[in-house]
């Protein structure tokens, strides 16, 4: 593993597949021109609309999203994490799927989101992800990259379940991805502190691309795509508008923090 720049993109995705892919390509290009070698896209990067519309277009969204990620990785010669996007399955529902693609355009890791966002919020909004999404049944993978480090995948609501990230760190993860479309209501209180907690307790970098702004009538996202170091220091924050959070990932920083705070070695219940 070497030092390199990573980018967490921030988008305002819409119920329009082609517009979203154009926006994503522009931000990937921006990140690469700034030197990023590892680029990440938020949850719902290719489509963020009503559940019925997502299901109706799921086959096309899945095909176009996967093709897009592989094409972008190959064109720009970077590793890309995109997640999640809907991938149809036999029951008529979809899996909320994150994909990691290397610079040759080859898929190296795939994760189906296991924790689904079924929540009634105090602001009056109700979210029932399980109405259209099938929960994954396996823990996320860790992809061992010689140049970028050991990369662990997750998606959005997963961030509230620390046991998932403990599994990833136990499997050797050094960089944790949390692509998200966090609601504006929960994000203002919980987004940053949850990301910092996952970084601190696992002494890992956390890279969290995000959705921001209003996507359609009832959906508004918090923003603040972030990159956080293993001590919990926020290295980059994209604010509340579309853009890029970019920061250096340093293996020496991981080693330093794990030496100073060897909590992973002190675990009793593994």
């Amino acid at each position: 593993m070497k030092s390199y720049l990573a980018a967490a993109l921030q988008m305002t995705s819409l119920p329009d597949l082609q517009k979203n892919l154009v926006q994503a390509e522009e931000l990937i290009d921006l990140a690469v021109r700034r030197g990023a070698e590892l680029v990440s896209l938020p949850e719902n990067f290719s489509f963020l609309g009503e559940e019925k519309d997502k299901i109706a277009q799921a086959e096309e969204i899945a095909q176009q999203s996967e093709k897009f990620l592989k094409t972008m990785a190959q064109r720009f010669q970077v590793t890309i994490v995109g997640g999640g996007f809907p991938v149809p399955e036999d029951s008529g529902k979809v899996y909320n799927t994150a994909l990691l693609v290397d610079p040759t355009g080859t898929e190296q890791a795939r994760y189906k989101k296991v924790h689904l966002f079924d929540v009634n919020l105090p602001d009056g909004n109700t979210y029932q992800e399980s109405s259209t999404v099938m929960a994954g049944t396996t823990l996320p993978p860790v992809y061992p990259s010689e140049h970028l480090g050991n990369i662990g995948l997750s998606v959005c609501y997963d961030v509230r379940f620390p046991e998932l990230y403990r599994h990833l760190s136990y499997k050797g993860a050094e960089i944790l991805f949390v692509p998200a479309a966090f609601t504006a209501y929960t994000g203002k209180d919980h987004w940053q502190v949850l990301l910092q907690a996952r970084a601190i307790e696992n002494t890992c970098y956390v890279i969290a691309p995000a959705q921001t702004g209003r996507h359609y009538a009832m959906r508004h996202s918090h923003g603040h795509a972030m990159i956080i170091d293993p001590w919990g220091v926020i290295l980059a924050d994209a604010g509340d508008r579309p853009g890029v959070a970019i920061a250096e990932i340093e293996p020496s920083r991981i080693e330093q923090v794990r030496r100073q705070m060897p909590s992973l070695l002190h675990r009793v219940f593994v």
Side-chain angles (χ1 to χ4, degrees), residues 17 45-46 60-69 85:
L17 174 61
F45 72 91
S46 53
E60 183 185 7
I61 295 169
Q63 291 175 358
Q64 292 294 323
S65 299
E66 189 165 329
K67 179 182 177 182
F68 174 82
L69 293 172
F85 57 91

Side-chain angles (χ1 to χ4, degrees), residues 10-251:
Q10 182 153 289
M11 300 177 62
T12 303
S13 294
L14 305 169
D16 188 318
L17 174 61
Q18 294 309 317
K19 281 186 178 179
N20 295 332
L21 295 183
V22 168
Q23 180 188 179
E25 183 173 353
E26 290 173 350
L27 290 172
I28 293 168
D29 180 63
L30 175 61
V32 172
R33 283 190 281 111
R34 291 178 60 185
E37 296 180 53
L38 177 58
V39 177
S40 54
L41 294 154
E43 184 183 32
N44 302 323
F45 72 91
S46 53
F47 187 90
L48 213 172
E50 300 281 358
E51 294 298 297
K52 60 180 175 56
D53 298 327
K54 178 182 75 177
I55 291 297
Q57 301 175 52
E59 193 71 49
E60 183 185 7
I61 295 169
Q63 291 175 358
Q64 292 294 323
S65 299
E66 189 165 329
K67 179 182 177 182
F68 174 82
L69 293 172
K70 292 178 177 179
T71 300
M72 292 298 104
Q74 196 168 29
R75 178 184 301 169
F76 290 105
Q77 288 295 287
V78 294
T79 297
I80 294 183
V81 174
F85 57 91
V87 175
E89 58 98 32
D90 292 339
S91 72
K93 293 187 176 183
V94 299
Y95 285 114
N96 188 340
T97 305
L99 210 61
L100 186 152
V101 180
D102 73 15
T104 70
T106 304
E107 176 185 327
Q108 294 293 348
R110 179 180 291 250
Y111 166 61
K112 299 171 182 176
K113 183 181 180 184
V114 299
H115 299 105
L116 303 184
F117 192 56
D118 291 353
V119 178
N120 298 315
L121 295 179
D123 66 355
N125 283 321
T126 296
Y127 300 88
Q128 196 74 22
E129 189 175 15
S130 65
S131 66
T132 60
V133 177
M134 182 72 71
T137 57
T138 58
L139 286 160
V142 174
Y143 168 60
S145 168
E146 180 181 350
H147 300 295
L148 304 176
N150 297 330
I151 297 170
L153 301 181
S154 69
V155 176
C156 199
Y157 189 48
D158 284 335
V159 77
R160 295 181 181 273
F161 300 88
E163 63 274 15
L164 183 146
Y165 300 90
R166 188 57 101 200
H167 161 79
L168 290 172
S169 66
Y170 180 71
K171 292 296 185 181
E174 297 161 315
I175 300 106
L176 304 172
F177 274 96
V178 191
F182 235 68
T183 69
Y185 185 87
T186 58
K188 62 183 173 57
D189 296 323
H190 295 166
W191 171 245
Q192 179 178 316
V193 69
L194 284 168
L195 294 174
Q196 288 179 297
R198 300 296 84 86
I200 292 166
E201 69 198 6
N202 295 294
T203 52
C204 289
Y205 279 95
V206 167
I207 300 176
Q211 293 284 353
T212 191
R214 190 164 298 279
H215 312 283
Y216 57 93
M218 297 300 293
R219 190 69 183 267
H220 188 215
S221 293
H222 173 66
H224 295 278
M226 289 185 180
I227 300 178
I228 299 171
D229 87 351
W231 191 256
V233 176
I234 297 170
L235 302 178
D237 181 338
D240 59 6
R241 296 187 178 185
V244 178
I246 192 163
E248 188 171 15
I249 307 298
E250 300 179 81

